[in-house]
Amino acid sequence: MLELQNISFVVKQPDGTDKYILKDINLRFEQKKTIVITGPNGGGKSTLAKIIMGIETPTSGKILFNGQDITTCNITERANLGISFAFQQPVRFKGIGVRELLSLAARKKLSTKGACDYLSEVGLCAADYVGREVDTSLSGGEIKRIEIATILARQNTQLAVFDEPEAGIDLWSFQKLIQVFEKLHQEHRALIIISHQERILNIADNIILIANGQVKSIGDRESVIPQLISIAGSCDIYKKGVSN
């Protein structure tokens, strides 16, 4: 489905030297698989997710989706091909209502009931949110769940990419989040999730460990977690709880 070939991402430092955020990443993501990318903070995980979506452009390398070269495709083009993205800090849209946003994602006008069905799946009391605007009146956790609801509404999604989806949501909502991932998996959609959370790692078909801009390991939880702890120098990075 998705293949990354020799992906590198380089930025210029203040002294004029190059710094590799990602270096020679080669990965293949298969259909119907849930893949969790984990690793120390600053290791390049979120940058990789943004490159997959087209938010960032790799300095070198090639990206293939269903055999098509999408390296130069923009965000809209990739979305039209079936790639969805959930930001770590979701974008707010002043002047756009929740139902309107869900309708845009679904590419059809949703009824109140249709919009409420998607909101209920992410743990929101639909009646309280369907008429609200997607603005600063919503908390971080609320806007995060609404964004995930838009991914559920996008029927053409083949690959969904989530950048630390657990950030800012409470314990009850986190359980709803796990159920969303399981639903997407049952619908045979491919998932790429950036996370350190134990319960998210537990639902992965495979875990990819990235540190210092490079792939250090690919495998199951039992083989990857000890390496993560060793690289991090402590187990603090391996989070069993969720944010408040």
Side-chain angles (χ1 to χ4, degrees):
M1 168 178 273
L2 180 74
E3 185 174 357
L4 308 180
Q5 299 178 350
N6 302 114
I7 294 294
S8 292
F9 185 73
V10 181
V11 296
K12 284 287 185 184
Q13 299 192 97
D15 62 4
T17 59
D18 291 337
K19 179 180 179 180
Y20 277 87
I21 306 300
L22 296 171
K23 187 173 183 180
D24 295 327
I25 299 291
N26 289 280
L27 290 170
R28 184 189 295 271
F29 301 93
E30 300 178 7
Q31 293 180 330
K32 307 176 185 179
K33 297 290 186 181
T34 297
I35 306 299
V36 176
I37 299 177
T38 192
N41 292 331
K45 305 182 300 299
S46 290
T47 299
L48 182 61
K50 291 175 182 177
I51 283 175
I52 291 171
M53 193 63 228
I55 299 167
E56 298 283 3
T57 301
T59 306
S60 61
K62 184 182 292 187
I63 306 170
L64 303 177
F65 184 64
N66 291 331
Q68 177 181 344
D69 188 343
I70 63 168
T71 311
T72 60
C73 291
N74 61 33
I75 299 172
T76 301
E77 291 168 332
R78 296 187 196 202
N80 288 335
L81 288 172
I83 303 176
S84 295
F85 187 84
F87 289 87
Q88 184 175 347
Q89 298 294 331
V91 179
R92 297 174 187 272
F93 302 92
K94 187 176 180 180
I96 296 180
V98 171
R99 183 169 66 176
E100 182 182 357
L101 183 63
L102 290 169
S103 294
L104 287 171
R107 298 186 177 184
K108 63 180 180 181
K109 186 175 182 179
L110 293 175
S111 65
T112 298
K113 180 182 183 304
C116 287
D117 287 343
Y118 291 119
L119 293 171
S120 296
E121 287 196 65
V122 295
L124 292 176
C125 180
D128 293 339
Y129 290 91
V130 70
R132 293 181 64 176
E133 287 194 359
V134 189
D135 57 18
T136 54
S137 68
L138 296 169
S139 70
E142 289 169 332
I143 194 69
K144 173 75 67 110
R145 282 179 277 172
I146 289 169
E147 181 185 49
I148 293 170
T150 66
I151 291 180
L152 291 173
R154 292 192 65 226
Q155 298 302 308
N156 77 324
T157 295
Q158 299 179 48
L159 170 64
V161 183
F162 296 87
D163 188 4
E164 298 198 22
E166 70 275 6
I169 64 174
D170 56 43
L171 183 61
W172 185 84
S173 300
F174 184 81
Q175 182 57 42
K176 295 291 292 185
L177 179 64
I178 296 295
Q179 292 173 11
V180 167
F181 292 150
E182 292 172 342
K183 173 183 171 63
L184 291 170
H185 185 75
Q186 290 166 3
E187 293 175 349
H188 305 302
R189 307 194 202 192
L191 305 179
I192 298 175
I193 308 170
I194 311 298
S195 183
H196 299 139
Q197 291 290 346
E198 179 183 19
R199 279 172 286 180
I200 293 179
L201 293 170
N202 286 340
I203 67 171
D205 292 305
N206 272 306
I207 299 172
I208 298 172
L209 172 58
I210 291 182
N212 299 319
Q214 296 180 299
V215 175
K216 298 299 183 181
S217 181
I218 302 175
D220 59 18
R221 177 180 175 277
E222 286 70 24
S223 64
V224 173
I225 295 304
Q227 297 177 63
L228 172 61
I229 293 172
S230 176
I231 289 173
S234 76
C235 62
D236 290 343
I237 195 170
Y238 179 42
K239 302 175 184 176
K240 295 188 178 182
V242 296
S243 303
N244 292 321

